[in-house]
């Protein structure tokens, strides 16, 4: 993308309405703009980040055998009346009436809709287990939308739903999702800790929240430092071997970790003092086992092996995809701006042409740009060098390739790594090879 021709409206001044670093930086780096309270447009660079996160989430879901699909945002009230949640959900649900006077709603979650779809097609125990997910916009009319995309009214969620024959099967599905979550957050560069949680309007009796540590987080957290050292991406837990899954689950939930709502002083006292950590955190995921809470009232049944009928046990598993953009920025920024982890950066590199119009600089910058096949950002604006450097740091590209008149003559660029600030003068070929 050529910056001179792009809608990436960076801001020098700090927007007054933004209270936390990630919200300020998302506005300043031109990632999003608010269109109504708690509702955001994702501008080109922001949309790329959201897609990168979605791709990682989706790959790790596939890795545990979940199937991707897409359900609509608008739902009929009928299914919610069957489950009993239409009235219970209250003012957080955005209710709509169509021209025929039918009651519709903008989905805050999809337990009912998927239970209905499975009920239409699954008739036998042989068809289970099933696990399906989609990445789709949700709407919740939050009383107090705040902190930008962290607590929005419209937000992007990955929601998965599992259907098993019995409790034992559902526990395996639940643990697989937990493993997928630990791998997902690690690939995003985040240390997330699973904590026992309340189930709220989703319901059920087993639930974990995944909390990323950040001083601006909405939840107070207490945890054992044992969590800090586990490398989930590299640890070889096999999601398809139940014994190994059990082993994983013990590792993930065996040490003390709780949000302030669930904090237990007696259990905390047993954690050796040197390992006790207290802080604040952001809830980036939440998983639930709720048995037959939806399958029973909605009449989802399958024929069992012995001729009888079985009511499937279900769970649902959410990741706050748009909230993650904010959480990642909370974890990775400095005074100058965002520091994107390579896995989610909107562009792997920015090529800064210090002197557009200079034939040698233009030729070298274009050569570098062409090597990225349109995936990098080319700063070809007619701006001062200082402004370009400041914007590159603000936008947080992992690498900066600086092309200036002196180097352009000798085939040398300056390569800067945003995360360390390290700068080296190398040939363009070497720079491209290092970025990989
Ligand atoms: C699980 C999947 C559910 O809705 N049903 C389907 C279950 N769980 S949840 O905890 O209510 O939401 C899942 C994750 O979505 C994110 N989230 C939000 N992100 C931005 N703005 C909001 N207003 C918002 N509400 C929820 C959180 O990351 C949460 O863990």
């Amino acid at each position: 993308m050529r910056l001179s021709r792009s809608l990436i409206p960076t801001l020098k001044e700090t927007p007054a309405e933004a209270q936390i670093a990630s919200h300020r930086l998302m506005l300043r780096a031109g990632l999003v703009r608010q269109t109504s309270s708690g509702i955001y447009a994702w501008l080109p660079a922001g949309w790329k980040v959201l897609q990168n996160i979605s791709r990682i989430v989706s790959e790790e879901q596939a890795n545990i055998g979940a199937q991707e699909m897409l359900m609509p945002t608008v739902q009929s009230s009928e299914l919610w009346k069957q489950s009993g949640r239409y009235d219970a959900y209250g003012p957080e649900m955005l209710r709509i009436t169509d021209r025929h006077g039918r009651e519709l709603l903008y989905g805050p979650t999809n337990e009912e809709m998927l239970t209905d779809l499975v009920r239409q097609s699954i008739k036998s125990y042989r068809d289970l287990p099933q696990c399906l997910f989609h990445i789709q916009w949700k709407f919740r009319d939050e009383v107090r939308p705040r902190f930008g995309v962290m607590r929005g009214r419209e937000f992007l969620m990955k929601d998965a739903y599992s259907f098993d024959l019995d409790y034992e099967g559902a526990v395996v599905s639940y643990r697989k999702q937990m493993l997928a979550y630990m791998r997902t957050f690690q690939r995003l560069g985040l240390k997330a800790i699973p904590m026992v949680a309340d189930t709220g309007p989703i319901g059920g009796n087993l639930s974990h929240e995944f909390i990323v540590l950040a001083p601006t987080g909405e939840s107070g957290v207490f945890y054992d430092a044992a969590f800090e050292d586990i490398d989930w991406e590299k640890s070889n837990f096999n999601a398809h071997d139940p014994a190994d899954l059990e082993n994983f689950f013990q590792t993930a939930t065996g040490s003390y970790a709780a949000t302030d709502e669930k904090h237990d002083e007696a259990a905390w006292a047993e954690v050796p003092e040197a390992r006790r950590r207290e802080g604040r955190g952001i809830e980036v995921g939440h998983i639930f086992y709720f048995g037959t809470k939806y399958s029973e009232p909605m009449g989802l049944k399958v024929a069992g092996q012995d001729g009888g009928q079985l009511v499937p046990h279900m769970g649902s598993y959410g990741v706050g995809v748009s909230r993650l953009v904010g959480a990642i920025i909370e974890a990775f920024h400095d005074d100058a701006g965002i520091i994107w982890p390579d896995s989610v950066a909107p562009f792997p590199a920015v090529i800064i042409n210090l002197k557009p119009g200079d034939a040698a600089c233009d030729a070298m910058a274009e050569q570098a740009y062409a090597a990225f096949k349109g995936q990098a950002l080319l700063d070809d604006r007619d701006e001062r060098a200082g402004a370009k450097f400041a914007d590159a740091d603000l936008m947080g590209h992992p690498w900066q390739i600086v092309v200036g008149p002196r180097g352009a003559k000798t085939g040398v660029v300056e390569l800067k790594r945003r995360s360390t600030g390290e700068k080296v003068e190398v040939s363009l070929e070497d720079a491209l090879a290092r970025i990989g």
Side-chain angles (χ1 to χ4, degrees), residues 89 108-111 138 140 142 149-161 202 283-288 316-323:
Y89 217 94
T109 178
N110 287 62
E111 279 80 6
K138 305 287 185 287
R140 292 182 186 174
E142 299 275 350
V149 302
M150 289 279 201
R151 184 166 294 283
R153 293 201 296 164
E154 189 187 48
F155 59 97
L156 191 61
M157 192 200 288
K158 182 287 294 183
D159 37 327
Y161 303 85
I202 307 295
E283 180 202 317
V284 290
H286 200 158
I287 61 177
F288 303 81
S316 75
Y317 315 91
V319 172
V321 177
S322 49
R323 176 178 289 183

Side-chain angles (χ1 to χ4, degrees), residues 9 13 52 59 66 154 168 263 266 271 296 301 303 314 320 355 361 367 392 395-396 415 428 433:
E13 275 78 42
N52 290 341
E59 282 174 6
E154 189 187 48
E168 286 69 29
H263 186 50
V271 178
E296 177 84 59
K301 292 188 220 94
M314 293 174 55
K355 210 170 175 195
C361 285
Q367 188 191 343
M395 286 189 261
L415 180 66
L428 177 57

Side-chain angles (χ1 to χ4, degrees), residues 61-342:
Q61 289 292 302
N63 204 3
I64 56 157
Q67 312 158 67
E68 187 156 11
M69 65 180 299
L70 185 60
M71 288 177 271
T73 52
V74 174
Q75 306 186 18
S76 155
S77 64
E78 286 309 312
L79 298 175
W80 290 71
K81 288 180 180 162
Q82 289 175 23
S83 73
R85 273 209 293 186
Y86 191 59
D87 293 327
Y89 217 94
E92 230 170 77
M93 179 185 275
L94 181 63
R95 296 156 204 259
I96 313 164
T97 309
D98 75 7
R99 63 166 74 194
H100 304 294
R102 288 188 200 109
E103 292 168 335
L104 302 174
L105 57 104
Y106 192 127
T109 178
N110 287 62
E111 279 80 6
E112 284 80 357
M113 187 177 274
L114 192 58
T115 303
D116 176 49
L117 291 165
V118 167
R119 159 176 85 175
Q120 290 174 34
S121 307
I122 298 282
K123 304 289 176 204
S124 157
Y125 72 93
R126 286 190 209 90
D127 303 323
L128 295 181
Q130 291 273 345
C131 186
L132 296 129
F133 75 101
H134 70 165
I135 298 177
Q136 178 61 291
W137 296 95
K138 305 287 185 287
F139 196 97
R140 292 182 186 174
D141 203 351
E142 299 275 350
V143 186
R144 219 149 78 82
R146 58 182 187 150
F147 301 154
V149 302
M150 289 279 201
R151 184 166 294 283
R153 293 201 296 164
E154 189 187 48
F155 59 97
L156 191 61
M157 192 200 288
K158 182 287 294 183
D159 37 327
Y161 303 85
S162 64
F163 300 82
D164 281 274
L165 280 177
D166 50 24
Y167 172 74
E168 286 69 29
V171 164
V172 170
S173 295
Y174 187 93
R175 292 176 176 177
K176 280 188 187 173
Q177 284 288 336
M178 188 180 267
L179 178 56
Y181 277 40
M182 299 316 286
R183 290 171 173 165
T184 301
F185 298 131
Q186 179 117 13
R187 280 181 69 185
L188 296 172
L190 298 172
K191 278 216 181 296
I193 303 175
M195 303 195 186
V196 176
D198 284 327
T199 55
I202 307 295
N205 51 17
L206 175 60
S207 170
H208 285 88
E209 283 176 359
F210 295 79
I211 305 279
V212 169
L213 300 170
T216 48
E218 290 189 297
S219 325
V221 296
F222 301 82
Y223 67 98
D224 186 324
F227 282 110
E228 287 169 353
D229 302 321
I230 311 169
D231 186 340
W232 298 103
E233 210 187 329
K234 295 224 174 65
S235 32
N236 288 322
F237 295 109
N238 179 356
H240 306 289
D241 171 355
D244 218 31
L245 261 188
E246 163 90 47
N247 187 5
F248 154 76
F249 188 75
Q250 292 311 329
T251 312
T253 61
S255 304
Y256 187 83
T259 57
D260 40 17
E261 287 170 349
K262 289 269 182 181
H263 186 50
D264 172 353
E265 284 295 346
W268 186 231
E270 284 174 23
V271 178
E273 204 164 338
R275 291 214 318 253
R276 286 184 214 159
R277 300 281 185 274
E278 281 180 49
R280 303 202 65 77
I282 302 166
E283 180 202 317
V284 290
H286 200 158
I287 61 177
F288 303 81
Y289 162 73
F290 41 71
T292 59
K293 179 177 156 97
Y294 300 92
S295 41
E296 177 84 59
M298 293 185 69
L300 165 62
K301 292 188 220 94
V302 297
Q305 202 159 8
D306 57 5
Q309 300 236 290
L310 293 170
V311 180
H313 285 238
M314 293 174 55
S316 75
Y317 315 91
V319 172
V321 177
S322 49
R323 176 178 289 183
L324 271 167
V325 180
I328 292 169
I329 297 174
E330 287 298 328
F332 300 103
H333 72 270
D334 61 14
D335 289 344
I338 302 170
I339 306 171
W340 289 118
D342 295 281

